[in-house]
Amino acid sequence: MAVVTTSRRPAKRELERAMKMVRLLCGDFLPREGRSLKRMMEEADVSGIVVVASEETWWEDRMGNRFRFHPNLAAIRVKELVGGGGDALVTAANLKQGDRVLDCTLGLGADSIVAAHVVGEKGEVIGLESQPLIAALVEDGMKHYASGSSRLRRAMGSVRVVCADYRVTLPRLEDQSFDVVMFDPMFRNTVKRSSGIQMLKELADPNPLDPDSVREAVRVARKRVVLKERLMSGEFERLGFRVVKEASNHAFGIIEP
């Protein structure tokens, strides 16, 4: 059961956002009433609670660990693109203005944000996230994250977050209905120093990408299907992707329909 609360003294806007979060998660709302989050979790007998505050929304467990949306490297990547630089994903996917992109594994949404910046207002980016808690927090975060960059805000605001499993969604889509389909499954070995990624790993779907879904993605994509993975993971070979771009700690493989 998902439990949602607010800060100790919520404004009307916080309450409205909290009620929307309750609807998204099919959860229950508990008024804060001055109580600590730990006490609320103990009384409700839950392992974690969603907190809607004035500037951010997060999920917190009984140990005080938090999971929240943050654009992370997307902010740096968008800034680099604005300055005329390149981006490994953009190159691998051959993203262009006006492209329609399906991100099958949204997570924290960094790649979707970068893609949204590139495809612009004439394009479209839809991000699928199978885990309702992650989908709800990322959707809320993309709409309310305070950034000084108008380009980053526009990119975040244009990503359409859909709580759905790509294994179910892909077979229902029409042939060549998207230009690019992207996969970024959760790496088996994540970067230990990144607390946000470690919390995401705890909440995310751990199942590996399956060949049937790849075949459906190839049918749906007009230009390219892109996989982001560790270079030595063996996933590129197992799933039939050709490696075209290497980054600092991962690589990109493609299939061209």
Side-chain angles (χ1 to χ4, degrees):
M1 178 185 70
V3 173
V4 181
T5 191
T6 61
S7 60
R8 293 181 184 272
R9 297 177 180 177
K12 180 180 179 182
R13 185 183 178 190
E14 285 179 55
L15 289 170
E16 291 173 347
R17 285 171 56 200
M19 291 301 103
K20 180 179 179 180
M21 190 67 64
V22 169
R23 292 191 295 271
L24 286 173
L25 296 173
C26 298
D28 292 327
F29 176 74
L30 293 181
R32 190 69 178 268
E33 297 178 342
R35 294 174 291 176
S36 69
L37 296 177
K38 185 175 181 180
R39 180 183 172 188
M40 294 180 71
M41 284 184 266
E42 290 172 347
E43 291 176 351
D45 192 24
V46 292
S47 60
I49 192 168
V50 176
V51 183
V52 180
S54 59
E55 296 183 353
E56 62 177 342
T57 301
W58 71 89
W59 179 85
E60 185 169 330
D61 66 17
R62 293 197 183 193
M63 299 297 293
N65 299 311
R66 292 184 176 185
F67 173 77
R68 68 187 68 175
F69 168 79
H70 192 282
N72 294 312
L73 291 177
I76 298 174
R77 292 165 64 188
V78 168
K79 185 177 180 180
E80 180 73 13
L81 288 166
V82 171
D87 183 84
L89 169 67
V90 174
T91 300
N94 192 26
L95 287 175
K96 304 293 183 182
Q97 187 177 24
D99 277 350
R100 193 163 188 249
V101 179
L102 179 67
D103 185 349
C104 290
T105 49
L106 180 68
L108 283 168
D111 286 340
S112 279
I113 294 169
V114 172
H117 168 72
V118 174
V119 304
E121 295 180 358
K122 295 182 179 179
E124 181 181 21
V125 176
I126 297 176
L128 305 181
E129 174 52 57
S130 64
Q131 304 305 299
L133 179 60
I134 297 175
L137 290 176
V138 171
E139 180 180 19
D140 180 86
M142 285 190 178
K143 291 180 178 178
H144 299 102
Y145 182 82
S147 171
S149 168
S150 60
R151 290 184 176 89
L152 183 63
R153 291 197 304 271
R154 282 197 297 270
M156 290 189 296
S158 67
V159 176
R160 180 183 165 197
V161 178
V162 178
C163 184
D165 190 325
Y166 63 79
R167 301 172 188 86
V168 177
T169 301
L170 282 170
R172 297 175 177 174
L173 297 175
E174 296 181 1
D175 295 358
Q176 298 187 339
S177 51
F178 286 84
D179 293 288
V180 175
V181 178
M182 307 190 304
F183 293 102
D184 180 10
M186 181 57 63
F187 296 158
R188 302 297 178 269
N189 298 311
T190 54
V191 181
K192 299 301 181 184
R193 66 177 178 269
S194 175
S195 59
I197 296 300
Q198 288 302 313
M199 285 295 293
L200 176 62
K201 186 176 182 180
E202 294 297 321
L203 298 171
D205 182 354
N207 293 309
L209 179 58
D210 61 283
D212 287 343
S213 293
V214 173
R215 282 191 287 270
E216 290 292 345
V218 172
R219 179 184 60 79
V220 169
R222 185 178 67 83
K223 288 169 48 177
R224 289 185 178 182
V225 179
V226 182
L227 172 63
K228 180 180 179 181
E229 253 292 354
R230 301 288 194 205
L231 182 60
M232 305 305 293
S233 66
E235 291 297 275
F236 295 115
E237 295 81 3
R238 181 178 73 87
L239 297 166
F241 284 82
R242 174 170 60 91
V243 176
V244 294
K245 191 73 176 178
E246 296 182 32
S248 58
N249 61 357
H250 58 267
F252 291 96
I254 67 167
I255 297 175
E256 296 175 296

